[in-house]
Amino acid sequence: MSTDTEGLSVSRVALYAVLVAMALFYLAPLETGLMTAIKTQDAFFSSTPFVPPFGDGFTLQPWYEAWAQMQGPLTDFSGALYNSAFVAIPATVLSGLIGSVAAYGLTNLNWRGQAGVLMLFVAGMFVPYQSVLVPLTRFWTIVGLQNYLAGVPFLAQRVGLIELIVTHTAYGIPICTILFRSYYASFDQSMLEAARIDGATFTRIYQRIIFPLSKPMFAVVLIYQFTQVWNDFLFALVLVSSPTSEVATIALNKLQGSMVQQYNVQMAAAFVAALPTLLVYVLFGDQFAEGVAGET
Amino acid sequence: SSGGEQTETEGTTQAGGEGTSGESTETATEQSGGSGNALELVHWWTAGGEQDALNALLEGFKQEYPDVEVNNNPAPGGAGSALDTVVKNRVLNQNPPSTFQIWPGKALTQYVEGDVLNTLGDSVWSQEMRDAYRQGVQDLAQPSGNYVAVPLNIHRLNNLFYNTAVLEEAGVDPSSLSDPAAVTDALATISENTDAVPMAHQTQSPWSSVQLWETIFLGYNGVDAYNDAIVNGNISKHESAVKKSLRTLKDYHQHFNDDAGSISWDQANSKVVNGDAAFIHQGDWAAGQYKSASDFAYESDWNMVPFPGTSSMYSVVTDSFVFPKNNPSPDATRKFLSYCGTVDAQERFNPVKGSIPPRTDVPADQFGPFLSSQIEDFKNSESQPPTIAHGTAVTPDVHGNIDEAFAGFNEQWNVDSTTTALVNAFPSN
Amino acid sequence: MLESLFRRLVTRGSGEESDPSGDDVRTDGGTVTKTATESTGGSQRSWRESEFVRSLPFWLPPALLMGLFVYGAIGWNAVISLTEWEGFGSPDYGNLDFSMYARMLADPTFVAAARNTVVLLVAFTVVSLVVGLLVAILVDRGIRFENTLRTVYLLPMSLSFVVTAIFWAWMYNPEFGLINVVLRGVGLGFLANDWISDPSTKLAAVIFALMWQFSGYCMVVYLAGLRAIPSDQFEAARIDGASTLRMYWRVIIPQLRASTMSAAVVLMVFALKAFDFLYVMFGDTPGPSTDILATMMFREAFSSSNWAYGAAIATVLFGLALVVIGPYLYVQYQRGDL
Amino acid sequence: MAELTLDHITKVYDDDGSDIVAVDDVSIDIADGEFLVLVGPSGCGKSTTLRMIAGLETASSGDIRLGGDVVTGRPPRDRDIAMVFQSYALYPHMTVRQNMSFGLEESTDMSDGEIDSVVTDTAEMLSIAALLDRKPGELSGGQQQRVALGRAIVRDPKVFLMDEPLSNLDAKLRSQMRTELQRLQEDLGVTTVYVTHDQTEAMTMGDRIAILNDGELQQVATPLEAYHQPANLFVAGFIGEPSMNFFEMEAREDRLSGDQFDYPISQETREAVGDATNVTLGIRPEDVQLVEEGSGEHDFGTVVDVVEPMGNENNVYLSFETDGAAEFVATIDGMRSLDAGQPVVARIPEDAIHLFDTDTGETLKNRSLAELEETEPRF
Amino acid sequence: MAELTLDHITKVYDDDGSDIVAVDDVSIDIADGEFLVLVGPSGCGKSTTLRMIAGLETASSGDIRLGGDVVTGRPPRDRDIAMVFQSYALYPHMTVRQNMSFGLEESTDMSDGEIDSVVTDTAEMLSIAALLDRKPGELSGGQQQRVALGRAIVRDPKVFLMDEPLSNLDAKLRSQMRTELQRLQEDLGVTTVYVTHDQTEAMTMGDRIAILNDGELQQVATPLEAYHQPANLFVAGFIGEPSMNFFEMEAREDRLSGDQFDYPISQETREAVGDATNVTLGIRPEDVQLVEEGSGEHDFGTVVDVVEPMGNENNVYLSFETDGAAEFVATIDGMRSLDAGQPVVARIPEDAIHLFDTDTGETLKNRSLAELEETEPRF
Ligand SMILES: Nc1ncnc2c1ncn2[C@@H]1O[C@H](COP(=O)(O)OP(=O)(O)OP(=O)(O)O)[C@@H](O)[C@H]1O
Ligand SMILES: Nc1ncnc2c1ncn2[C@@H]1O[C@H](COP(=O)(O)OP(=O)(O)OP(=O)(O)O)[C@@H](O)[C@H]1O
Ligand SMILES: [Mg+2]
Ligand SMILES: [Mg+2]
């Protein structure tokens, strides 16, 4: 529904007050983190976390340190952020594309097994990662991917990351497929029939009609999937063991020492690690929300 | 700070053995055996001073063995849980790193039983080294009779740190406290006489309470009872002792800081630094924080007594390195382990880390007054009991159960049910 | 997005839920396109088969890839749960039994963890839905800066649990945490508590923090649902004399069932994956009041090397997930949306 | 039941700074029990007017009086009105019974028993008693329509407001519901304001019709007045299907001169034209006579372009030129058959023409109604 | 361009085990260049029939022949047909130009240049050349309709199939597009099958109309044939607005006896009735005469129930009893004014009546068309 036209100004003010309060509520933990990230360790221990630092309690050092830990120089193709991107971008794009193609194959068909196949896809979204960790690592050991990649040093050094890409892609397929399928089911069927009458084949219909029309859904799927992959900790933890291949969440967690904690650096690093996803949400949050809403 | 490590890995063409299956590694090892193989070192020393300590160690190692490349692979920390996950996975998949950090003692049992560790013969544990290590520590390195680990550092667990100003204000003399029960009274006195928190503590995760409890237990019952109850697992024979120490811990709890459940140990420790708290029981890594705090000097501002009742003991928390089978670089590993056992290595590493060397023959010059006094205590200690909280006294399985029991105790402070849980934590045999 | 999926899945079968004015009004003269939409599947055998064959290359390889990784791993895991595997040996597949499951039933830790998992699942879902719905209703009042606010509300969802757990440990600090500071500030100091240490509030505190992270998502789902309700539903209710509160309660909220359902399922997925949050906040031993199956599984498998026992817990965890979605899938199937 | 007065109401929407005048100074008096139809093209402000009466929009200025009370500022629930929406706006999650009870539950203190009996009675009156326990989704369009009506009726309001309530029905059902609604309104005697964009519906249903264009009221009149005596060009063109034929002409001394033909006019007509120079000549299709032999001054040679057979009559599209596009329509008896391309003579009798000032749109002269009086049947 | 033959086609849907016969043994021969309208109530199988012709559904049995070739088993793209959908089914992400080119790109080897010139030509013909670079979302309904048409036309197919292409347009635009489409089809001369549920559209557009009910073909005839000589009760009731009046009667010796009145019949009529006992008497509203004084045997006293003024004519709802619900309708001249409650005499001329067998629905006698011949104008 739209406007409440007879909204009294008092109730309007109250409404905005509540909305702003909610916004503060959603932002407060972030603020606390940010304040911590610009404090010295001493200032942190001697002040309340959400209060801004004053005097010589202020420092940007944690950010330099965090950046050094999380990424280091951008020029050489290494560093945790780079590695995360190396994993997240292909995994996101791949699972998005594959999901879209699979969804197309599973839409508008009426054969007996379809419900079963779909159910597998749907249930696949609900797998707790814990349940598959042990078999998963065994699987990759058996595959021995590095043997196949030995000829390409660039990839051979990133075997763990490539395993991660494949794993995330596989685990992303169910959700992507279901998302796209539900989207495709909302398409005007006569449009697809028109294309068939116009002489387009099954494949051509995907290329020329379905794919171009999937843009809004791709926005949703890519944002969601990117966030998932980027924020994943568990798979990265067990699949990547080479320090040169560590991803952002691992690097972030690494800032927790065995006994010694540097909270300001951790927080700065947390922001550094969250930067891409935060950015994605700030920049594309509208598309995301509208993609969700546009479904109706 | 990570730059240094990265240079070390530069030019490493082999990807750290990652994903390398056992067999192919074996052959690779044979072919390139001893000829400057890359040593993949997995550890959890990732933050601040810990990292510096490791770097100091690796520098020394490099000078000693310039032909060995070190592939430094710090695994994310949190007292090793995440590292556990990674290492266990890799060992299970017969793809271990060259060496990894682990608590010795019972923490190694599973590895030994699973036959995944190489025995360290004389080439590492030379007679010279055996002579330099104290028996308690040597025992930890050979959980089943054979040496499988090299302890690198020692932290003491049975410390009671305090803020001198606060204690003076409260009129409490820590050296006069004779047993854990006396501490309760002291805490009450502090509570009466000052605004400060009598004892800083954290209960967000269970390990601090575990280590406090085991120290209390030692304080009341001595090493033999402790060994019988915990190390040998005959805890059911010591139920009343267990209860008593739990009750004492519960008494202490009255005097903990209010936010104990929401902070980490170092946030608790900072209360001592700030003068907001009087005592804290912690391993001597806590002193690292005092050292880095400004205007907070040893003896004048803070000091330490062995936890009441345990002055003759040196509760050992130690990290060690092992020699996994299917090793991608046996020679390099052997070199590294040997080096860890040397005076040079321990002299480089420990002062920075804030721990003392396991070897008794390391010169104390580098160690500053506090650690020097710890070294002295270590040398004079009658026993070096292992610890539950830091894995050396019990198997991981039991350790997990005890953690669970104390996670419950931290919530309910129920002595009876926790006693039951502790008794049940050990396999009944 | 996720919501869209379910919405889509749901809407086709339940047009009467969301849109009585649109295609659903059966104009008896047949100006409705619905028949056409529904009829596409009804082709005959030969055509159907060729379509089937033609669609194979599209969905089969993805299905196989997923099947291998997801279901292969789950199956393997289930087999491991039947062994006695622990420590560093290899699992003995020759001797399979249900001993791990028996052990589980006798394990009070498991019982507590299972109970907490269910509580977390239900309470987190309900609380997030309620908050999301309230916020959505407020945002739907034709406000300015809607997009900005929506983004702000959605922002926490972009963060990883690793980060949000650290944030919330501070929020809950009894002395200087924002929650208590605010409570004291508004004169409710007596309510201040040591939230994540007091066993009676610990789980609730976790749920609240998770709510913070995902209620924005519910808000978006509900907002879309609200927007899908034709405005004349609101107007009809007003003409019928309903107050705003009664209007939402009796007319609008019941029509959001599809949104609720889809959001709830997604939230439950998140709840099942809440492991990271607890792990970062409390370590692998959160204590009996907050322990969940995921942390317990991790502890048993990776801390204690009780692989088989861990696998059994993981299997139960997956079973729980199926219990959550099973009815949902069934309804979908009944409606012919699968 | 009450009379309803719209007193100079205006509605201005604010569309990102610029003003949209949706309803412009409309005044209508609606008598107690009257059936008034608001008609006009899409976007002319019909719905907005209705919604202001309902209280769903606030009037920017002007007053609305209901049975003497000024209700302008009141919320909908204090106005004692009921509304039927185009989409019916039935609550999809409630049964028919619940849908019909809802208003009574929310706005009255009636007991459940009383409500139930009112609902049951109304449902019987509308022959939907058998459907009471179904949900809207299980009803056909016509049935939903009836439920929407029932929901309004049970409330026993002072005024019914209906916004295109029949437009979602197909032709047959629509014409059936049309009569039904009309009879129902007569029986209940409730003042009703009915919005439609369909002039046929307006003509056949209203006691009076109010024609709106672009937010402005054009004419309020009985259907036949509006048909035969339109107040202006817009009304003339809007009412009637097929539409009145228009020819733009220039007024000369004794004739109207157009692009295609000149139309001689009598002195009387000349006087009606007055000073206007640009004049639009209007003739209803049924007033165009196709005659055998053209002889009179108002006969014009034309060619048949397309014939639309409607069964009982034919719409003949005529052009002044061979192969030209149709310029006007004549409705002739269904029994006569004409072919495309056939030349015919079209007679445009002077007493049947309407004249409008092209520039202002105002009516200069309406058709003579003498004929109407004459043919009045007397039994 | 080709003739199209439906040869006993049947379509059975499988609905969870139970069979739904959507189209039942329909045979139609459609001549080259003919405009055939498929008409019938909702769900009668019109779309299904069309979709079988298109190849979007396979016929359960029967053959479809196009220009002599049996196309029954072929996929749509091998049939050389083009289709216009009710929803237009334009590709929303493509410009008008791309929409129109798509079919040529996919199904022919034409070069881009050729395609472009065909598209441009067609767009000019349809006056949408200015819209070529817009996307469908930026077009009005009527413009979209034209694009959909254009998309079909560029393909230069043997047959156009159109499924209610005008039903999403508003009344004015619909009647305008109706004539336009008709003229276009005549110009192009492409065989066209046009589906609608609107009998007015069917009447006015089709060369012939095929009336379907419940999957079965009722009649294929020219519009006027269907109107004046319906093959059965269904067609008689379906075609014409307002519908034909029906009275259920029993056949006696010299009259038909009904609940409300007895209708004397001549010998000729008696013969037409034959053995049938239950007979439905049908009379078109415009054939009912309201006369001043009832004297003849086919005059009946009635009371006016509701009058619907349509401007040029009035629909008068009549009842045989005072205060009774209307039983039949008479269409009378718009100039005559009648009031509700007024008693009138309705004359039902025998030469205008239709008679149907109530049990089988079959036509026993259609109205005499003598009058039709007579009034044929000769110029
Ligand atoms: N895919 C299908 N499966 C089952 N039954 C179907 C299917 N498609 C159509 N039908 C049924 O076949 C019959 C004819 O449907 P069809 O769409 O041809 O009707 P129609 O005449 O086009 O109606 P409308 O005017 O409403 O478009 C209907 O009873 C319909 O329910
Ligand atoms: N909420 C609004 N904000 C701005 N302009 C509006 C709003 N509602 C209506 N309008 C404008 O006011 C004018 C009148 O709209 P209204 O809905 O009353 O038309 P209508 O006569 O009911 O048309 P229709 O037959 O299409 O329903 C239109 O120009 C419309 O665009
Ligand atoms: Mg309107
Ligand atoms: Mg149809």
Side-chain angles (χ1 to χ4, degrees), chain D residues 13-15 20 22 40-49 57 164 197:
Chain D
Y13 284 113
D14 175 41
D15 182 39
I20 298 178
S42 185
C44 70
K46 306 179 296 292
S47 297
T48 307
T49 308
E57 308 275 357
E164 318 208 7
H197 65 269

Side-chain angles (χ1 to χ4, degrees), chain C residues 29-30 35 38-39 42, chain E residues 13 20 22 41-48 164:
Chain C
T35 15
E38 282 169 355
S39 64
Chain E
Y13 284 114
I20 298 178
S42 183
C44 70
K46 307 179 295 292
S47 297
T48 307
E164 317 209 7

Side-chain angles (χ1 to χ4, degrees), chain A residues 2-3 5, chain D residues 11-15 20-23 40-51 57 86 163-164 195-197 212 214-215:
Chain A
S2 52
T3 46
T5 40
Chain D
K11 176 73 193 183
V12 182
Y13 284 113
D14 175 41
D15 182 39
I20 298 178
V21 182
V23 174
S42 185
C44 70
K46 306 179 296 292
S47 297
T48 307
T49 308
L50 201 71
R51 291 161 56 78
E57 308 275 357
Q86 175 173 6
D163 195 349
E164 318 208 7
V195 160
T196 180
H197 65 269
L212 276 175
D214 222 355

Side-chain angles (χ1 to χ4, degrees), chain D residues 291-292 372 376 378-379, chain E residues 291-292 335 337 376 378-379:
Chain D
V291 294
E292 229 160 297
L372 179 72
E376 189 99 4
R378 254 165 287 272
F379 297 90
Chain E
V291 294
E292 230 160 295
M335 295 296 164
S337 83
E376 187 100 4
R378 257 164 281 276
F379 296 91

Side-chain angles (χ1 to χ4, degrees), chain D residues 245-315:
Chain D
N245 297 296
F246 291 121
F247 304 97
E248 295 202 1
M249 316 290 270
E250 240 171 274
R252 299 279 155 80
E253 254 323 285
D254 58 347
R255 63 200 162 93
L256 304 173
S257 165
D259 289 347
Q260 305 280 358
F261 65 101
D262 275 14
Y263 191 88
I265 49 175
S266 67
Q267 185 54 29
E268 192 192 349
T269 307
R270 179 62 248 179
E271 275 160 23
V273 170
D275 297 339
T277 50
N278 294 318
V279 169
T280 299
L281 186 156
I283 178 89
R284 296 235 172 249
E286 71 268 21
D287 289 333
V288 178
Q289 294 162 22
L290 300 189
V291 294
E292 229 160 297
E293 222 134 300
S295 58
E297 53 179 2
H298 295 144
D299 293 349
F300 306 94
T302 60
V303 177
V304 175
D305 181 32
V306 174
V307 179
E308 279 189 354
M310 310 287 287
N312 60 334
E313 55 190 27
N314 292 320
N315 293 330

Side-chain angles (χ1 to χ4, degrees), chain D residues 189-257:
Chain D
V190 177
T191 316
T192 301
V193 183
Y194 184 106
V195 160
T196 180
H197 65 269
D198 177 355
Q199 60 90 26
T200 313
E201 220 166 275
M203 290 283 287
T204 53
M205 298 184 78
D207 291 334
R208 284 192 302 157
I209 60 181
I211 300 114
L212 276 175
N213 187 30
D214 222 355
E216 289 176 31
L217 188 63
Q218 306 291 316
Q219 186 169 12
V220 186
T222 66
L224 286 180
E225 264 169 32
Y227 189 80
H228 294 297
Q229 301 181 294
N232 56 31
L233 194 58
F234 176 80
V235 175
F238 189 78
I239 302 285
E241 165 62 29
S243 296
M244 188 185 280
N245 297 296
F246 291 121
F247 304 97
E248 295 202 1
M249 316 290 270
E250 240 171 274
R252 299 279 155 80
E253 254 323 285
D254 58 347
R255 63 200 162 93
L256 304 173
S257 165

